Each structure stands twice: as C-alpha cells, then as structure tokens.
Amino acid sequence: MASSGQVSWKLEDHPKLPKGKTIAVVVLDGWGENKPDDYNCIHVAETLTMDSLKQGAPEKWRLIRAHGTAVGLPTEEDMGNSEVGHNALGAGRIFAQGAKLVDLALASGKIYEGEGFKYISESFEKGTLHLIGLLSDGGVHSRLDQLQLLLKGASEHGAKRIRVHFLTDGRDVSDGSSVGFVETIENDLANLREKGVDARIASGGGRMYVTMDRYENDWDVVKRGWDAQVLGEAPHKFTNAVEAVKKLRENANDQYLPPFVIVDEHNKAVGPIVDGDAVVTFNFRADRMVMLAKALEYQDFDKFDRVRFPKIRYAGMLQYDGELKLPSHYLVSPPEIDRTSGEYLVYNGIRTFACSETVKFGHVTFFWNGNRSGYFNPELEKYVEIPSDIGISFNLQPKMKALEIGERARDAILSLKFDQVRVNIANGDMVGHTGDIQATIVACKAADEAVKMILDAIEQVGGIYVVTADHGNAEDMVKRDKCGQPLYDKNGQLQILTSHTCHPVPIAIGGPGLAPGVRLRNDVPDGGLANVAATIMNLHGFVAPNDYEPTLIQVVDN
C-alpha cells in the first residue's frame, strides 16, 4: 500500500446508498455537447446508446463543465484537455494546473529563484541554453507567451547563448498558424541579439512527426527530434526558419512537418546540443515530453541509438512524472494532487479494473490517480493496456480499439471480481484531431457500440453505470464566425477545427443497481468534472471527504 502519512482513509458509509454494486465508469474522450448540425460528428453518427441516455429520464442526464477554471486552467477561454480532465475526475478537487502554475511562477519571478533554474544556469557561462517545445498559443501543451517570457527572463539572468528547437502545432490551433508563431519568435530573438545575446532558432519539425510522441507509442518520432536537436542532423537544411516552415508546408501540414535544422553559411548546424549545455523542455503538459525526457536524462537507454549522449543540465518546465521523478530537475513545481478518489476507494476495499488503449491508458491510471504511476494496492487493482495502432493516422482506423476495450470491460464486469470498472474510449478525441469528418463519424459510432457493450454487462450483473467525458472535440469539427456559422478560407474551402473545445460534456447515471430515488441534482449548476469523484464514491456507498467538490447526485425519498 502507498505511503499515506496521517491521512484518515476510512470513508463514512452513505446513509441512503448501499455498497456492493458493480460500477462501470466510462469516459468518452473528446465527447462534448453542442447544437446539432452537419459538423457535429456525434450528432451525425449513429450513436443509439448515447442518444438513449440523453433522451431518457431527465434526472439521470445533465451537462457538466470540462474547461477553464473548472479543471484548474487560468481562464474560461482555456479549452480542457485529457490530462487536466482526468486529474479533476480522479481527484475530486480542482488544482491549479500546468499553464496556471507556470503563469504564476513567471509573473512573480519565482521561476528564476527555484532549484531548477539555478541548476541549468550553471551552464550559462560557457554553454548554450536550448529550449525545446511546442510553438503554439493553444494553451494545451505550451503557450507562446510563456516561451517569450522565458527567453527574456533567461537572458536577463545570465544566458548568453540561446537556441530554440520548436515543434509546429496545427492540432490545438489552426493549421498554417505556425508561420506567424515562428515570425514572432524570430522577432524576439532579433531583439535579444541587439542586446548582445547570441539567440537563434536551431531546429524544427511537426509535433506528430517529430519529438512529441507519448506512451512509448513510436520512438522513431522522438529519434527524428533527437537527430535534429542533439546531433544537428536532419533531411532538410535551411538558413531561415520562416522560410523552412513555408517551404515544408508545401507537402505537409503543421502537425507533420519533417525535421529540419538551421545551418550557417558553411552549411553547419547552428545549434546542436553538446557537452556543457543546458536544456529546458518548455511544454507544461507532461504526456508528450516524457519520452524525450527519458532520452535526455537516462544513462541506460535502449529505445534508439542516440549516437552520442551529451553531458548536459536538463530541466523540464514541470516534472512530467512524479513517480519516476522525471525529469529530476524542473523549473516549476507540479500540482501536488493528494488523496485521490482511487486511493480512498482502494483503502476502503474497492476492487478496481482500469482499461484503455495505449494513447489514453495513462489517463485512466496515471492522471486519474493524481499524476502517480503504478498501483495503490496491486492485490485490489488491475490495469490493462490495449496497444494502439501505430504507424498510421487514426482516421485510417477510426474504430481504433473501442470494441476491444468494451470487451475487456464487459469481461471484467461479468467476472464479478471488481467493484469498479473504469475505461477511457479514445475515438472521439484522437480521430477528431485528424480533422477528418467522415472518419470521426465512424469513430463516434464505434465508441457508442463500446458503451453499449459495457452497459449491457452492467444490466446483467445488476450494476450501475456512470458515463461521462473529459472534454469536447468531436461535437464541433469546423471553425466558426461570431454568429456560429462555419468559416471558409479564401479558396472557398471549409476551415476544419482539429482542436478541443470549450463545450460542456454529458454525465449519465443508471443501471438496475441504482437505488430508487437517486437523481442528478439541479442545485449544482456550475458542476464540473471534479464533482464526478464524490458522485462515484456515493454510488459505491460512501460519503466523500468534506473538501471534495460536491456530489452531483441526491437521493429523493419516494
């Protein structure tokens, strides 16, 4: 069992709700609620099961918030994401999240007083500071303004030679926006050069093809970045980063730009990472930085041939994996998420099964458990990862592993070995990100079929289901004007939306095991993902801790 300090883990029994019911917790990734039209793939798709939940008893279906301050992000304009969403779902409370923590540290200047910055600054006298991350204002993995502030602050705190290695976005922001972002950074670097700082862009590439893989799905992605960033080697060489992006966009979108390096007049890379340098990965979100962090930090590493392993001082913007202590140095301390619902329930004897495919497996385990790897108690928990398809874009296999996840959840429910069966079904989000509307419609139907499989099993064992989502995506696939009408570019082409949204998400409860009189409350109008943990605890027959966000259910005497 995990070390628990002085926490009192015993939960009070719920005065009206029984224990012993099998509960299925289904998280549909990227499944928001939006007005119906041709670009709402959830509406267009044949989603008979989810439709039946929405059209059923009104007291058992409602909408909850999954973006902005409801999940710990700075403003209501910040769209939700899977990481903060699952943190909120599992923790039962709202914690200040990556972007907000970094904003506070930059605004106060404390980022430059911490151990992490002091550590990397030891390289400033003789070495180069390399900044690696996503160049975007999307606010999902990183933010352009934070990079700008970090460039300014690092130069004011002793960095004399700076190299930026950027990844273009086109996923959380508009495709094609990368050119403007690069121009902005080039202008900032030019201003630093006027002040005597040797500051330049050194390399680049698209986020889905270079560096930003996750969950060890495809190490070749990380290797392409390593070759460009560390070795200074890439299939494309340019003397100007803006021209590089413009040229490479002729054959690829922002997400999939091939790697390139910037070279000098002698055709020599201007910024390979070498012994004595400092490196900062400036993404605040963890999932797509962990693999690079391992390559930069681990002496023993066998995922690809690094060719050389420079002796550097490396820090993440935050620590990306608290259990692995990775990286060991970081500029901003991550949220300390303690006493998650999963840990409470295990301490109270709840046997838990969690399952998803690779691309979202970490969400129903690591993020759900407060950014913690592994089991709380291996005797009471079982986590199953189904390998995701690799080497192809998800719109080419839009059904992904939805049915396999449904089957594993069904079998776990019918086995009667578990009190909670928790899954993430990834289709709406991962296929939605490709911008392929027809494929996303197929994806939504597949996700719905998986939900049916799980709910049918709950029916057989007399259990309870909770179906919700972590954020929006598939419910709106086009950019819109202020009146909500689809936008078209100058060539008359529909402008596709590939990012998450700020729409609310559904939550539905039901099943034969649901006690009579249980209904969703209407006096928690601003309820969000963090309210779901107390709700699930209640359905397991327990009262949630006092400092948890209020439950979404009440028991009305008949």
Side-chain angles (χ1 to χ4, degrees), residues 61-370:
W61 186 95
R62 63 163 286 179
L63 297 175
I64 53 176
R65 298 170 67 229
H67 76 288
T69 56
V71 289
L73 296 172
T75 75
E76 296 312 311
E77 295 179 356
D78 290 306
M79 52 192 145
N81 64 63
S82 298
E83 290 66 41
V84 300
H86 283 76
N87 275 170
L89 285 166
R93 290 149 293 152
I94 301 169
F95 289 83
Q97 285 290 349
K100 194 169 187 177
L101 292 171
V102 175
D103 285 341
L104 294 171
L106 285 167
S108 66
K110 289 184 178 179
I111 193 169
Y112 307 112
E113 301 168 5
E115 178 276 333
F117 190 83
K118 291 178 180 178
Y119 172 69
I120 62 165
S121 67
E122 294 176 30
S123 293
F124 289 175
E125 184 63 32
K126 296 181 179 179
T128 300
L129 170 62
H130 299 266
L131 302 175
I132 305 174
L134 186 68
L135 190 62
S136 171
D137 65 2
V140 176
H141 292 270
S142 66
R143 278 217 326 267
L144 176 65
D145 61 324
Q146 292 179 351
L147 172 60
Q148 293 177 287
L149 289 170
L150 185 59
L151 280 168
K152 180 175 183 291
S155 66
E156 292 172 348
H157 287 81
K160 301 174 180 178
R161 193 169 188 268
I162 301 174
R163 294 293 182 265
V164 176
H165 305 261
F166 65 78
L167 293 316
T168 50
D169 192 353
R171 186 177 176 92
D172 300 320
V173 294
S174 303
D175 183 46
S177 59
S178 59
V179 174
F181 296 144
V182 177
E183 290 173 337
T184 297
I185 288 299
E186 283 283 35
N187 185 60
D188 287 5
L189 297 175
N191 290 336
L192 290 179
R193 290 195 294 272
E194 290 179 2
K195 298 176 181 178
V197 180
D198 178 5
R200 300 188 62 178
I201 288 172
S203 74
R207 58 177 284 180
M208 296 302 288
Y209 193 66
V210 179
T211 300
M212 284 178 56
D213 191 49
R214 63 180 174 186
Y215 307 141
E216 305 198 7
N217 200 41
D218 187 354
W219 277 101
D220 284 343
V221 173
V222 184
K223 184 182 188 303
R224 292 183 199 108
W226 181 274
D227 290 350
Q229 298 147 4
V230 178
L231 305 182
E233 299 174 359
H236 302 277
K237 298 180 180 181
F238 296 88
T239 57
N240 179 282
V242 174
E243 293 306 314
V245 173
K246 288 181 177 178
K247 181 66 176 176
L248 294 174
R249 273 189 49 79
E250 293 175 4
N251 296 301
N253 62 25
D254 284 351
Q255 294 189 54
Y256 287 93
L257 289 189
F260 65 88
V261 294
I262 300 301
V263 296
D264 60 18
E265 63 272 18
H266 304 295
N267 208 38
K268 183 179 178 180
V270 301
I273 298 171
V274 298
D275 288 352
D277 286 351
V279 176
V280 171
T281 45
F282 60 81
N283 285 19
F284 48 72
R285 179 165 143 182
D287 57 340
R288 293 190 183 275
M289 284 287 106
V290 167
M291 293 168 71
L292 174 58
K294 290 178 178 179
L296 288 168
E297 186 149 313
Y298 286 174
Q299 183 75 41
D300 296 323
F301 180 86
D302 61 0
K303 302 303 182 182
F304 59 83
D305 182 3
R306 293 182 290 193
V307 182
R308 59 181 177 83
F309 180 47
K311 296 176 181 177
I312 60 172
R313 289 181 172 87
Y314 165 52
M317 182 66 92
L318 294 98
Q319 187 169 63
Y320 298 131
D321 189 325
E323 187 74 8
L324 297 176
K325 309 298 183 193
L326 182 75
S328 54
H329 299 275
Y330 42 91
L331 303 187
V332 180
S333 296
E336 296 181 2
I337 301 177
D338 61 349
R339 301 185 299 107
T340 63
S341 61
E343 190 166 10
Y344 268 112
L345 290 171
V346 166
Y347 267 97
N348 285 269
I350 297 301
R351 302 164 300 168
T352 303
F353 177 92
C355 175
S356 189
E357 59 178 287
T358 304
V359 290
K360 297 293 181 178
F361 175 69
H363 295 82
V364 287
T365 54
F366 175 84
F367 291 107
W368 190 279
N369 292 334

Side-chain angles (χ1 to χ4, degrees), residues 489-552:
D489 65 20
K490 59 184 179 182
N491 297 318
Q493 297 295 311
L494 190 66
Q495 293 194 33
I496 297 296
L497 184 70
T498 59
S499 68
H500 299 164
T501 72
C502 291
H503 293 133
V505 300
I507 182 170
I509 59 172
L514 190 66
V518 173
R519 60 187 59 204
L520 290 166
R521 296 166 61 180
N522 56 18
D523 60 347
V524 191
D526 293 325
L529 297 183
N531 300 81
V532 174
T535 306
I536 293 171
M537 286 175 156
N538 291 172
L539 295 174
H540 277 297
F542 299 107
V543 175
N546 289 334
D547 63 341
Y548 268 40
E549 291 294 311
T551 180
L552 294 171

Side-chain angles (χ1 to χ4, degrees), residues 350-488:
I350 297 301
R351 302 164 300 168
T352 303
F353 177 92
C355 175
S356 189
E357 59 178 287
T358 304
V359 290
K360 297 293 181 178
F361 175 69
H363 295 82
V364 287
T365 54
F366 175 84
F367 291 107
W368 190 279
N369 292 334
N371 304 335
R372 182 191 185 281
S373 297
Y375 295 115
F376 294 115
N377 183 344
E379 294 181 3
L380 293 179
E381 296 172 277
K382 183 177 182 180
Y383 298 164
V384 173
E385 175 184 352
I386 298 172
S388 291
D389 296 318
I390 60 173
I392 62 168
S393 180
F394 290 108
N395 59 317
L396 300 179
Q397 292 280 8
K399 294 183 179 180
M400 298 181 64
K401 303 301 177 185
L403 297 184
E404 290 90 333
I405 294 167
E407 290 167 355
R408 295 301 289 266
R410 175 199 65 198
D411 293 347
I413 292 166
L414 297 180
S415 75
L416 300 178
K417 294 179 180 178
F418 301 99
D419 304 297
Q420 182 182 120
V421 174
R422 183 172 71 237
V423 300
N424 176 295
I425 301 173
N427 305 59
D429 190 47
M430 298 308 296
V431 183
H433 276 312
T434 69
D436 186 328
I437 292 176
Q438 292 306 313
T440 306
I441 292 169
V442 174
C444 292
K445 181 179 180 182
D448 187 77
E449 290 170 350
V451 174
K452 183 180 189 305
M453 201 178 301
I454 295 167
L455 268 52
D456 285 349
I458 284 294
E459 188 73 26
Q460 290 184 55
V461 301
I464 300 169
Y465 60 78
V466 178
V467 181
T468 189
D470 57 348
H471 58 76
N473 186 334
E475 79 284 0
D476 198 4
M477 297 288 290
V478 294
K479 298 172 189 173
R480 298 178 184 272
D481 62 21
K482 293 180 179 179
C483 297
Q485 296 303 307
L487 286 172
Y488 295 83

